[in-house]
Amino acid sequence: MKKSIAVIRGDGIGPEITGEALAVLEAVAGKFGHEFALQEAPMGGNAIDRFGVPLPEESLRTCLASDGVLLGAVGGPKWDAQPPENRPEKGLLRLRSGMGVYANIRPARMFSALTAACPLRHETADKGIDFIVVRELTGGVYFGEHRTEMRDGERIATDVMSYSEHEIRRLAHIAFRMAMGRRKKVTSVDKANVLTSSRLWREVVEAVAKDYPEAELSHMYVDNAAMQIVRDPSQFDVIVTENLFGDILSDEASQITGSIGMIPSASLGDPGHPGLYEPIHGSAPDIAGQDRANPIGTILAAAMMLRHSFGLEFEAKAVEDAVNSVLAEGGRTGDIMEEGKRPVGCREMGRLIRERIQAG
Ligand code: NAD
């Protein structure tokens, strides 16, 4: 298989972690006979330094022409004084909207070797955690009308949460397609006992479910979902929800599986369009250039690209299994270090994972 990948190395630890993820992809290509052509797409603070803007047009074009985009992280104190419109993070927002990605996929997966780091009770953690949150990314209250007005001598602030049927429908299709490649269970999370937008959400998700008769759909109120995620996360396979609820639940989910350095995410749009793959953390300027960053979040983001954009499930699994093996053998970067384990740097962690893939 031949695929083109746009690479945004970014700032801070971005170049270190993307370097390791790209080397892992090269190992996958060598082992399984694929060809991945890389195109650099500068974005973030480094792009401000070189081109005066956080997302040059040429970079967006490169991303749109690719089969998938791999992003490290952008930003850092050097660019904090930039005007709001020209901050590195603005580049990221422009990239997401330019790529038309409307679904954020956040896996909550516990690697068996890291069970001890799980803040949940042992008997809960031992049942395993392996679900994904599919969050709507471009609608809802974040994108509704925001206004503050004076009424009867005091300020009143209003934020509007609205959803159209097509926004809900296209997201629900992504969630069901994901579930069909997994354990075929979709939990739609809403607040239909209070919100009109949630009642429409429920109706549309139920209509979409008819296209996936093998999948099991259930509904859960968001307050209950927040409790169930810490009470018994093993009950979930795919959670699908709107923007604000998804923001909160996906962060809750990432807390129960370990370090911020371990977690990947994907942002997807319509089928056939490139997806955006990145770790959930930022550019960690405090440890940049010191070979201390954990590259696993970015390596797992590359695995998600193999699975969701290239349809290479076997290869994606090979990467995830390699990560699990290295952790099981005791290799740990500083952020996930435990007593009795072997400390390794960013480069060594990447090398061990590649070795496992080649040996596997
Ligand atoms: P951060 O995620 O960069 O760092 C928070 C803490 O986690 C730091 O102590 C850091 O050292 C640690 N950490 C993060 N990733 C790690 C990894 N892979 N391995 C080991 N430790 C890791 O968040 P922050 O400090 O709030 O933000 C730093 C910069 O990143 C800011 O400029 C911010 O705007 C930017 N940012 C970018 C993105 C993105 O590019 N998607 C996301 C969040 C923040």
Side-chain angles (χ1 to χ4, degrees):
M1 183 180 275
K2 275 192 184 171
K3 292 286 176 191
S4 70
I5 299 174
V7 182
I8 302 174
R9 294 178 195 262
D11 310 312
I13 59 170
E16 300 166 60
I17 54 179
T18 41
E20 295 312 317
L22 292 173
V24 162
L25 285 173
E26 206 178 293
V28 168
K31 168 106 183 161
F32 299 99
H34 304 302
E35 206 180 302
F36 301 134
L38 308 182
Q39 291 279 338
E40 300 286 335
M43 188 183 91
N46 65 90
I48 296 174
D49 290 349
R50 286 158 63 198
F51 308 102
V53 287
L55 178 65
E57 279 300 318
E58 181 62 26
S59 291
L60 179 59
R61 268 198 297 278
T62 302
C63 292
L64 290 174
S66 72
D67 295 307
V69 180
L70 184 72
L71 162 67
V74 296
K78 182 175 174 196
W79 303 282
D80 279 352
Q82 287 285 326
E85 272 316 292
N86 214 43
R87 287 178 63 98
E89 296 79 5
K90 268 282 178 295
L92 191 51
L93 295 180
R94 277 182 209 138
L95 178 70
R96 286 185 183 141
S97 83
M99 287 179 67
V101 289
Y102 52 79
N104 184 250
I105 319 297
R106 193 74 99 70
R109 175 180 178 190
M110 166 100 85
F111 284 92
S112 48
L114 294 186
T115 319
C118 177
L120 303 182
R121 295 149 71 114
H122 282 312
E123 56 271 33
T124 309
D126 287 347
K127 283 165 82 179
I129 302 172
D130 182 10
F131 66 94
I132 57 176
V133 179
V134 178
R135 163 190 170 192
E136 205 287 326
L137 206 53
T138 56
V141 70
Y142 292 0
F143 291 84
E145 190 196 345
H146 308 284
R147 64 166 192 275
T148 308
E149 63 205 313
M150 285 300 286
R151 214 184 293 160
D152 299 329
E154 64 174 350
R155 286 176 300 163
I156 298 188
T158 307
D159 301 286
V160 177
M161 178 192 267
S162 75
Y163 269 106
S164 64
E165 289 179 88
H166 87 270
E167 286 175 307
I168 305 168
R169 191 178 303 117
R170 64 188 185 178
L171 187 83
H173 275 293
I174 288 190
F176 278 101
R177 281 199 296 270
M178 298 258 155
M180 293 309 290
R182 296 173 49 94
R183 301 195 300 280
K184 301 188 174 63
K185 269 183 67 176
V186 174
T187 308
S188 175
V189 170
D190 61 37
K191 191 71 184 162
N193 49 345
V194 180
L195 302 176
T196 315
S197 57
S198 281
R199 285 192 279 274
L200 180 65
W201 184 276
R202 229 174 235 225
E203 270 176 40
V204 174
V205 172
E206 268 171 18
V208 170
K210 295 198 171 73
D211 291 350
Y212 305 87
E214 283 176 53
E216 179 196 322
L217 169 67
S218 59
H219 301 279
M220 197 177 272
Y221 294 140
V222 62
D223 40 350
N224 187 24
M227 288 193 289
Q228 295 300 329
I229 284 174
V230 287
R231 199 190 65 82
D232 179 17
S234 72
Q235 68 186 287
F236 295 113
D237 180 20
V238 174
I239 289 177
V240 60
T241 191
E242 65 88 44
N243 204 344
L244 171 64
F245 300 160
D247 190 1
I248 299 166
L249 293 184
S250 57
D251 272 3
E252 183 191 11
S254 62
Q255 268 305 306
I256 60 174
T257 52
S259 158
I260 190 176
M262 296 282 303
I263 303 166
S265 99
S267 301
L268 306 178
D270 287 334
H273 290 253
L276 173 63
Y277 298 87
E278 56 186 311
I280 67 163
H281 57 74
S283 60
D286 52 331
I287 56 168
Q290 301 168 32
D291 193 31
R292 285 169 61 198
N294 185 349
I296 292 180
T298 321
I299 289 171
L300 293 176
M304 288 184 86
M305 181 188 291
L306 294 172
R307 173 176 291 123
H308 298 303
S309 281
F310 304 167
L312 297 174
E313 173 63 32
F314 189 82
E315 287 81 344
K317 184 93 178 29
V319 174
E320 290 161 353
D321 288 349
V323 169
N324 203 24
S325 302
V326 172
L327 294 172
E329 286 156 13
R332 295 283 190 280
T333 43
D335 57 316
I336 50 172
M337 187 59 195
E338 294 164 67
E339 219 183 295
K341 304 297 179 193
R342 188 161 71 88
V344 299
C346 180
R347 284 196 296 272
E348 176 70 355
M349 179 57 94
R351 190 187 67 76
L352 291 170
I353 292 169
R354 290 198 297 281
E355 232 175 56
R356 278 273 135 219
I357 292 169
Q358 275 144 1

